[in-house]
Amino acid sequence: MGAKVLERFPAGAPRGSWPAEEYAAELREEGEPATVVMDLKQDAFLVVVESQDES
């Protein structure tokens, strides 16, 4: 089981701005179970969904 990255957002957004969280919330409203995670190596927030292998 892995995750599919839908979008990347730089961690240096202006104070009070949460573009990754806002994007994930929009996706959740549309029924997509999106989550925000931090990629420390790239200093970015990733909007991801769990990918399931169809085997």
Side-chain angles (χ1 to χ4, degrees):
M1 188 128 153
K4 177 181 176 185
V5 177
L6 301 177
E7 192 69 46
R8 297 174 191 275
F9 294 89
R15 179 177 238 176
S17 174
W18 302 95
E21 291 290 348
E22 293 166 0
Y23 182 68
E26 289 173 15
L27 291 173
R28 286 190 295 269
E29 287 177 7
E30 296 171 1
E32 190 75 44
T35 305
V36 177
V37 297
M38 179 73 183
D39 182 338
L40 294 174
K41 289 183 180 180
Q42 294 184 14
D43 195 29
F45 291 105
L46 310 177
V47 178
V48 300
V49 292
E50 289 186 22
S51 63
Q52 298 182 9
D53 296 333
E54 296 180 18
S55 21

